[in-house]
Amino acid sequence: MPAKIIDGKAIASEIREDIKREVDAVKKEKGIIPGLAVVLVGEDPASQTYVRNKEKACQKVGMYSEVYRLPAETTQEKVLAVVDELNQNPKIHGILVQLPLPDHIDEKAVINAINPDKDVDGFHPVNVGKLYIGDPGFVPCTPNGVIELLERSGVAIKGKEAVVVGRSNIVGKPVAQLLLARHATVTICHSRTSDLASHTRRAEILVVATGRAKMITGDMVKEGAVVIDVGVNRVDGKLVGDVDFDAASQRASAITPVPGGVGPMTITMLLKNTLQAAQ
Ligand code: NDP
């Protein structure tokens, strides 16, 4: 039987409705308008699109947003000064610095300068540490979106064999940590894993975030597995995931499409974190 499609667009829009209601409540009860500041350095077209989408998403749920568009040649000192100003700004509850930054700017220095209480991307070492020790903090948006998709689709995580392919700091590692915190038995695979298929074939929950188009073929998927494809790759002008969707959906019990799976969840989780920061 073909897999159930996990509709990220529909789930994201449900969550955004809830967020909108909560934003209204915070405004009424506390007189606070949750505010997000986005800092964009340079003219990278993909980053410009992401930032525009974040701005629009904020407006739609009634949040306040500010975008700082700085030229590519902006010095690191200037970027740090902007971050410092935003750390002090009472109208701003969440700060996001759009990555990647130009080569002459030290990304770590900029992320470390964000007040951890306003770090809605969840990349500051304080929030990374909290995630690892199980303390409440900001969780990175895409990994948080992966977990929401599983939970809202009624997938039980506890006791499951989960395999995460990819170990980046922004997707693979935090996804693995969140699954572990929900009592899955977690294996993390990467480019040096030998016999990747032997791991993926054991996975009852398979999360793939490699940026390699269709690298997970149908025969690498366990019968009945739940497959979450984080990858976004452009092939012949079309967006495809890291999983061969047509083949995998013949074996999986549920699967996310690309586009329309994890993608719509990322900005939604950013809104959720900004609301949390304001609350
Ligand atoms: P990175 O390039 O930072 O990390 C990729 C990871 O995949 C690395 O850990 C790498 O291993 C591993 N990998 C690469 N090739 C293989 C292979 N052949 N076998 C096993 N593992 C492999 O990517 P990101 O984590 O930032 O992103 C991953 C994908 O998710 C991309 O397509 C990106 O566009 C997408 N993405 C989507 C988002 C969304 O909102 N939907 C948000 C963020 C990312 P190693 O560490 O050994 O190099």
Side-chain angles (χ1 to χ4, degrees):
M1 207 172 65
K4 174 187 142 194
I5 308 295
I6 299 177
D7 185 346
K9 234 171 135 177
I11 294 174
S13 109
E14 249 173 54
I15 300 173
R16 286 189 201 199
E17 286 302 317
D18 293 345
I19 292 174
K20 193 169 184 300
R21 269 191 292 276
E22 286 190 54
V23 168
D24 287 344
V26 174
K27 279 184 194 168
K28 268 198 205 106
E29 288 157 22
K30 298 187 181 161
I32 295 171
I33 305 173
L36 174 73
V38 179
V39 181
L40 171 64
V41 188
E43 286 86 36
D44 176 56
S47 293
Q48 284 179 333
T49 307
Y50 295 144
V51 168
R52 258 197 311 277
N53 290 342
K54 287 168 186 172
E55 209 179 355
K56 270 195 230 152
C58 278
Q59 285 157 3
K60 278 197 180 155
V61 296
M63 286 183 182
Y64 171 71
S65 74
E66 278 180 21
V67 178
Y68 290 75
R69 292 186 169 81
L70 307 174
E73 59 279 8
T74 307
T75 61
Q76 179 165 319
E77 287 65 36
K78 171 71 188 164
V79 177
L80 290 173
V82 170
V83 168
D84 190 45
E85 205 182 293
L86 294 169
N87 281 339
Q88 317 296 331
N89 185 340
K91 274 174 27 189
I92 297 302
H93 305 96
I95 303 170
L96 180 151
V97 176
Q98 185 65 44
L99 302 179
L101 289 169
D103 289 345
H104 66 279
I105 298 176
D106 177 0
E107 268 178 19
K108 277 192 186 162
V110 174
I111 289 169
N112 291 355
I114 299 173
N115 176 348
D117 293 335
K118 294 192 176 188
D119 169 41
V120 284
D121 245 347
F123 294 160
H124 191 287
V126 165
N127 285 312
V128 175
K130 284 183 172 176
L131 176 63
Y132 277 70
I133 61 174
D135 274 0
F138 290 111
V139 175
C141 300
T142 302
N144 212 359
V146 168
I147 299 298
E148 283 274 354
L149 283 179
L150 290 169
E151 291 183 337
R152 290 194 179 232
S153 306
V155 176
I157 298 174
K158 189 172 160 182
K160 290 281 170 65
E161 195 75 46
V163 174
V164 179
V165 188
R167 58 172 165 181
S168 72
N169 288 334
I170 64 166
V171 190
K173 280 184 205 159
V175 165
Q177 198 56 42
L178 290 167
L179 289 165
L180 185 62
R182 284 159 182 77
H183 313 295
T185 301
V186 184
T187 303
I188 306 176
C189 301
H190 46 78
S191 69
R192 272 25 93 77
T193 297
S194 52
D195 197 1
L196 178 64
S198 70
H199 296 282
T200 61
R201 279 189 201 120
R202 281 191 294 106
E204 297 171 287
I205 297 172
L206 177 61
V207 181
V208 189
T210 61
R212 303 277 180 275
K214 297 189 182 183
M215 67 162 285
I216 302 295
T217 50
D219 62 320
M220 292 169 82
V221 174
K222 183 183 169 80
E223 205 70 53
V226 175
V227 179
I228 306 289
D229 188 354
V230 183
V232 182
N233 311 282
R234 197 168 280 279
V235 176
D236 300 329
K238 259 185 73 183
L239 288 186
V240 297
D242 294 345
V243 176
D244 180 347
F245 179 87
D246 292 338
S249 56
Q250 295 305 314
R251 293 171 68 98
S253 60
I255 187 167
T256 56
V258 177
V262 176
M265 295 298 288
T266 298
I267 292 185
T268 305
M269 293 298 106
L270 174 68
L271 298 174
K272 196 173 168 189
N273 281 352
T274 305
L275 174 66
Q276 181 189 324
Q279 283 168 332

